[in-house]
Amino acid sequence: GQQLNQSPQSMFIQEGEDVSMNCTSSSIFNTWLWYKQDPGEGPVLLIALYKAGELTSNGRLTAQFGITRKDSFLNISASIPSDVGIYFCAGPPITSGSRLTFGEGTQLTVNP
Amino acid sequence: NAGVTQTPKFRILKIGQSMTLQCTQDMNHNYMYWYRQDPGMGLKLIYYSVGAGITDKGEVPNGYNVSRSTTEDFPLRLELAAPSQTSVYFCASSYTTRETQYFGPGTRLLVL
């Protein structure tokens, strides 16, 4: 299947620090999605990106759709304890139709 | 709207038993999906459906079956449970392929 490489796998930061994570693929994507999963819950969409080069913000979160269409970045500014969770990138590779491929996730821990 | 609901929340099965995981959405979405999430991993697509009466295999369909007799319901059937099927199962739905997928709370399945 299609592979999404998400990094880093885990991050341990202090409250107030900024966070960056990214996803790369060998395939071209038409859409990039960033989800957050809290423990014991299903993933919840944070940001959706639909155009190469697009930069979109949602509060303290900012995501970008890479111009090559093979990568995406998520930044979280001034982290707070409730940012703890697993962040997943996802998208439908151009050849997959409606089928999403998910990255392996970035586990974020924020120390107060 | 209740969104995407899943039952049961948790189940223990013996090897060889069968069960059906229920998924219902009340958003009139055409697309519905079943994923499994193994510990520390991303989500893998099991089956998906683009509308009532239409289903297709995802990345890891072996050992599972689905049906889509109505727009609202998309049950997942395990016929002969195996320990390898121990996982958390998420159902999701979306209106179109470019729309975001909304996830249910998950069903935790343990096969012993």
PDB file of all heavy atoms in Angstrom, chain B residues 63-81:
ATOM      1  N   GLY B  63     -10.446 -11.738   6.559  1.00  0.00           N
ATOM      2  CA  GLY B  63     -11.042 -12.096   7.839  1.00  0.00           C
ATOM      3  C   GLY B  63     -12.263 -11.267   8.194  1.00  0.00           C
ATOM      4  O   GLY B  63     -12.849 -11.467   9.260  1.00  0.00           O
ATOM      5  N   TYR B  64     -12.634 -10.348   7.298  1.00  0.00           N
ATOM      6  CA  TYR B  64     -13.761  -9.454   7.559  1.00  0.00           C
ATOM      7  C   TYR B  64     -14.736  -9.449   6.377  1.00  0.00           C
ATOM      8  O   TYR B  64     -14.356  -9.746   5.251  1.00  0.00           O
ATOM      9  CB  TYR B  64     -13.281  -8.015   7.776  1.00  0.00           C
ATOM     10  CG  TYR B  64     -12.219  -7.851   8.824  1.00  0.00           C
ATOM     11  CD1 TYR B  64     -10.866  -7.836   8.474  1.00  0.00           C
ATOM     12  CD2 TYR B  64     -12.540  -7.706  10.170  1.00  0.00           C
ATOM     13  CE1 TYR B  64      -9.872  -7.691   9.423  1.00  0.00           C
ATOM     14  CE2 TYR B  64     -11.553  -7.556  11.127  1.00  0.00           C
ATOM     15  CZ  TYR B  64     -10.220  -7.548  10.745  1.00  0.00           C
ATOM     16  OH  TYR B  64      -9.247  -7.405  11.696  1.00  0.00           O
ATOM     17  N   ASN B  65     -15.985  -9.104   6.700  1.00  0.00           N
ATOM     18  CA  ASN B  65     -16.976  -8.869   5.656  1.00  0.00           C
ATOM     19  C   ASN B  65     -17.825  -7.671   6.033  1.00  0.00           C
ATOM     20  O   ASN B  65     -17.984  -7.363   7.225  1.00  0.00           O
ATOM     21  CB  ASN B  65     -17.892 -10.086   5.475  1.00  0.00           C
ATOM     22  CG  ASN B  65     -17.256 -11.121   4.570  1.00  0.00           C
ATOM     23  OD1 ASN B  65     -16.908 -10.827   3.433  1.00  0.00           O
ATOM     24  ND2 ASN B  65     -17.091 -12.317   5.080  1.00  0.00           N
ATOM     25  N   VAL B  66     -18.367  -6.999   5.039  1.00  0.00           N
ATOM     26  CA  VAL B  66     -19.230  -5.846   5.293  1.00  0.00           C
ATOM     27  C   VAL B  66     -20.456  -5.927   4.391  1.00  0.00           C
ATOM     28  O   VAL B  66     -20.495  -6.690   3.417  1.00  0.00           O
ATOM     29  CB  VAL B  66     -18.513  -4.503   5.023  1.00  0.00           C
ATOM     30  CG1 VAL B  66     -17.389  -4.277   6.020  1.00  0.00           C
ATOM     31  CG2 VAL B  66     -18.010  -4.436   3.595  1.00  0.00           C
ATOM     32  N   SER B  67     -21.447  -5.126   4.745  1.00  0.00           N
ATOM     33  CA  SER B  67     -22.624  -4.947   3.900  1.00  0.00           C
ATOM     34  C   SER B  67     -23.085  -3.508   4.065  1.00  0.00           C
ATOM     35  O   SER B  67     -22.799  -2.857   5.071  1.00  0.00           O
ATOM     36  CB  SER B  67     -23.736  -5.913   4.301  1.00  0.00           C
ATOM     37  OG  SER B  67     -24.110  -5.725   5.649  1.00  0.00           O
ATOM     38  N   ARG B  68     -23.804  -2.985   3.086  1.00  0.00           N
ATOM     39  CA  ARG B  68     -24.331  -1.620   3.167  1.00  0.00           C
ATOM     40  C   ARG B  68     -25.713  -1.617   2.536  1.00  0.00           C
ATOM     41  O   ARG B  68     -25.900  -1.256   1.390  1.00  0.00           O
ATOM     42  CB  ARG B  68     -23.390  -0.666   2.403  1.00  0.00           C
ATOM     43  CG  ARG B  68     -23.814   0.803   2.542  1.00  0.00           C
ATOM     44  CD  ARG B  68     -23.093   1.513   3.628  1.00  0.00           C
ATOM     45  NE  ARG B  68     -23.521   2.896   3.783  1.00  0.00           N
ATOM     46  CZ  ARG B  68     -22.968   3.939   3.144  1.00  0.00           C
ATOM     47  NH1 ARG B  68     -21.981   3.736   2.263  1.00  0.00           N
ATOM     48  NH2 ARG B  68     -23.398   5.146   3.371  1.00  0.00           N
ATOM     49  N   SER B  69     -26.688  -2.035   3.331  1.00  0.00           N
ATOM     50  CA  SER B  69     -28.060  -2.098   2.828  1.00  0.00           C
ATOM     51  C   SER B  69     -28.767  -0.757   2.920  1.00  0.00           C
ATOM     52  O   SER B  69     -29.743  -0.511   2.199  1.00  0.00           O
ATOM     53  CB  SER B  69     -28.853  -3.177   3.558  1.00  0.00           C
ATOM     54  OG  SER B  69     -28.839  -2.925   4.952  1.00  0.00           O
ATOM     55  N   THR B  70     -28.308   0.116   3.802  1.00  0.00           N
ATOM     56  CA  THR B  70     -28.888   1.456   3.937  1.00  0.00           C
ATOM     57  C   THR B  70     -27.775   2.482   3.943  1.00  0.00           C
ATOM     58  O   THR B  70     -26.608   2.147   4.166  1.00  0.00           O
ATOM     59  CB  THR B  70     -29.692   1.606   5.237  1.00  0.00           C
ATOM     60  OG1 THR B  70     -28.788   1.533   6.353  1.00  0.00           O
ATOM     61  CG2 THR B  70     -30.757   0.515   5.371  1.00  0.00           C
ATOM     62  N   THR B  71     -28.118   3.741   3.718  1.00  0.00           N
ATOM     63  CA  THR B  71     -27.127   4.815   3.795  1.00  0.00           C
ATOM     64  C   THR B  71     -26.549   4.948   5.195  1.00  0.00           C
ATOM     65  O   THR B  71     -25.381   5.246   5.374  1.00  0.00           O
ATOM     66  CB  THR B  71     -27.768   6.154   3.374  1.00  0.00           C
ATOM     67  OG1 THR B  71     -28.236   6.045   2.045  1.00  0.00           O
ATOM     68  CG2 THR B  71     -26.764   7.299   3.463  1.00  0.00           C
ATOM     69  N   GLU B  72     -27.402   4.687   6.210  1.00  0.00           N
ATOM     70  CA  GLU B  72     -26.992   4.970   7.591  1.00  0.00           C
ATOM     71  C   GLU B  72     -26.077   3.917   8.201  1.00  0.00           C
ATOM     72  O   GLU B  72     -25.265   4.221   9.061  1.00  0.00           O
ATOM     73  CB  GLU B  72     -28.233   5.095   8.477  1.00  0.00           C
ATOM     74  CG  GLU B  72     -29.148   6.259   8.143  1.00  0.00           C
ATOM     75  CD  GLU B  72     -30.012   6.001   6.934  1.00  0.00           C
ATOM     76  OE1 GLU B  72     -30.199   4.823   6.553  1.00  0.00           O
ATOM     77  OE2 GLU B  72     -30.515   6.987   6.350  1.00  0.00           O
ATOM     78  N   ASP B  73     -26.241   2.642   7.815  1.00  0.00           N
ATOM     79  CA  ASP B  73     -25.586   1.553   8.536  1.00  0.00           C
ATOM     80  C   ASP B  73     -24.500   0.861   7.715  1.00  0.00           C
ATOM     81  O   ASP B  73     -24.684   0.612   6.521  1.00  0.00           O
ATOM     82  CB  ASP B  73     -26.626   0.513   8.952  1.00  0.00           C
ATOM     83  CG  ASP B  73     -27.690   1.110   9.840  1.00  0.00           C
ATOM     84  OD1 ASP B  73     -27.318   1.703  10.867  1.00  0.00           O
ATOM     85  OD2 ASP B  73     -28.882   1.005   9.494  1.00  0.00           O
ATOM     86  N   PHE B  74     -23.432   0.501   8.393  1.00  0.00           N
ATOM     87  CA  PHE B  74     -22.303  -0.162   7.718  1.00  0.00           C
ATOM     88  C   PHE B  74     -21.675  -1.147   8.707  1.00  0.00           C
ATOM     89  O   PHE B  74     -20.636  -0.889   9.297  1.00  0.00           O
ATOM     90  CB  PHE B  74     -21.290   0.891   7.266  1.00  0.00           C
ATOM     91  CG  PHE B  74     -20.212   0.371   6.347  1.00  0.00           C
ATOM     92  CD1 PHE B  74     -20.486  -0.546   5.352  1.00  0.00           C
ATOM     93  CD2 PHE B  74     -18.907   0.845   6.481  1.00  0.00           C
ATOM     94  CE1 PHE B  74     -19.497  -0.999   4.492  1.00  0.00           C
ATOM     95  CE2 PHE B  74     -17.902   0.398   5.630  1.00  0.00           C
ATOM     96  CZ  PHE B  74     -18.191  -0.517   4.637  1.00  0.00           C
ATOM     97  N   PRO B  75     -22.304  -2.312   8.918  1.00  0.00           N
ATOM     98  CA  PRO B  75     -21.787  -3.272   9.879  1.00  0.00           C
ATOM     99  C   PRO B  75     -20.564  -4.018   9.361  1.00  0.00           C
ATOM    100  O   PRO B  75     -20.440  -4.290   8.163  1.00  0.00           O
ATOM    101  CB  PRO B  75     -22.956  -4.228  10.095  1.00  0.00           C
ATOM    102  CG  PRO B  75     -23.765  -4.112   8.842  1.00  0.00           C
ATOM    103  CD  PRO B  75     -23.591  -2.720   8.335  1.00  0.00           C
ATOM    104  N   LEU B  76     -19.673  -4.365  10.285  1.00  0.00           N
ATOM    105  CA  LEU B  76     -18.463  -5.129   9.980  1.00  0.00           C
ATOM    106  C   LEU B  76     -18.578  -6.488  10.656  1.00  0.00           C
ATOM    107  O   LEU B  76     -18.816  -6.560  11.861  1.00  0.00           O
ATOM    108  CB  LEU B  76     -17.223  -4.394  10.502  1.00  0.00           C
ATOM    109  CG  LEU B  76     -15.878  -5.102  10.312  1.00  0.00           C
ATOM    110  CD1 LEU B  76     -15.459  -5.072   8.852  1.00  0.00           C
ATOM    111  CD2 LEU B  76     -14.802  -4.436  11.182  1.00  0.00           C
ATOM    112  N   ARG B  77     -18.392  -7.540   9.898  1.00  0.00           N
ATOM    113  CA  ARG B  77     -18.574  -8.898  10.402  1.00  0.00           C
ATOM    114  C   ARG B  77     -17.234  -9.619  10.494  1.00  0.00           C
ATOM    115  O   ARG B  77     -16.446  -9.602   9.532  1.00  0.00           O
ATOM    116  CB  ARG B  77     -19.498  -9.653   9.456  1.00  0.00           C
ATOM    117  CG  ARG B  77     -19.762 -11.098   9.831  1.00  0.00           C
ATOM    118  CD  ARG B  77     -20.958 -11.210  10.724  1.00  0.00           C
ATOM    119  NE  ARG B  77     -21.227 -12.614  11.061  1.00  0.00           N
ATOM    120  CZ  ARG B  77     -21.820 -12.984  12.178  1.00  0.00           C
ATOM    121  NH1 ARG B  77     -22.215 -12.091  13.059  1.00  0.00           N
ATOM    122  NH2 ARG B  77     -22.038 -14.262  12.430  1.00  0.00           N
ATOM    123  N   LEU B  78     -16.978 -10.238  11.655  1.00  0.00           N
ATOM    124  CA  LEU B  78     -15.848 -11.147  11.817  1.00  0.00           C
ATOM    125  C   LEU B  78     -16.424 -12.547  11.923  1.00  0.00           C
ATOM    126  O   LEU B  78     -17.226 -12.830  12.826  1.00  0.00           O
ATOM    127  CB  LEU B  78     -15.061 -10.848  13.098  1.00  0.00           C
ATOM    128  CG  LEU B  78     -14.118  -9.663  13.131  1.00  0.00           C
ATOM    129  CD1 LEU B  78     -14.872  -8.345  13.127  1.00  0.00           C
ATOM    130  CD2 LEU B  78     -13.212  -9.758  14.349  1.00  0.00           C
ATOM    131  N   GLU B  79     -16.067 -13.436  11.009  1.00  0.00           N
ATOM    132  CA  GLU B  79     -16.675 -14.759  10.993  1.00  0.00           C
ATOM    133  C   GLU B  79     -15.966 -15.739  11.915  1.00  0.00           C
ATOM    134  O   GLU B  79     -16.594 -16.503  12.623  1.00  0.00           O
ATOM    135  CB  GLU B  79     -16.665 -15.310   9.561  1.00  0.00           C
ATOM    136  CG  GLU B  79     -17.612 -14.596   8.629  1.00  0.00           C
ATOM    137  CD  GLU B  79     -19.085 -14.781   8.994  1.00  0.00           C
ATOM    138  OE1 GLU B  79     -19.401 -15.621   9.873  1.00  0.00           O
ATOM    139  OE2 GLU B  79     -19.931 -14.074   8.417  1.00  0.00           O
ATOM    140  N   LEU B  80     -14.648 -15.764  11.888  1.00  0.00           N
ATOM    141  CA  LEU B  80     -13.852 -16.699  12.696  1.00  0.00           C
ATOM    142  C   LEU B  80     -12.745 -15.884  13.369  1.00  0.00           C
ATOM    143  O   LEU B  80     -11.683 -15.695  12.820  1.00  0.00           O
ATOM    144  CB  LEU B  80     -13.236 -17.787  11.814  1.00  0.00           C
ATOM    145  CG  LEU B  80     -14.191 -18.830  11.222  1.00  0.00           C
ATOM    146  CD1 LEU B  80     -13.488 -19.661  10.163  1.00  0.00           C
ATOM    147  CD2 LEU B  80     -14.737 -19.734  12.336  1.00  0.00           C
ATOM    148  N   ALA B  81     -13.049 -15.392  14.567  1.00  0.00           N
ATOM    149  CA  ALA B  81     -12.111 -14.477  15.222  1.00  0.00           C
ATOM    150  C   ALA B  81     -10.758 -15.144  15.470  1.00  0.00           C
ATOM    151  O   ALA B  81     -10.683 -16.310  15.891  1.00  0.00           O
ATOM    152  CB  ALA B  81     -12.702 -13.986  16.532  1.00  0.00           C
TER     153      ALA B  81
END
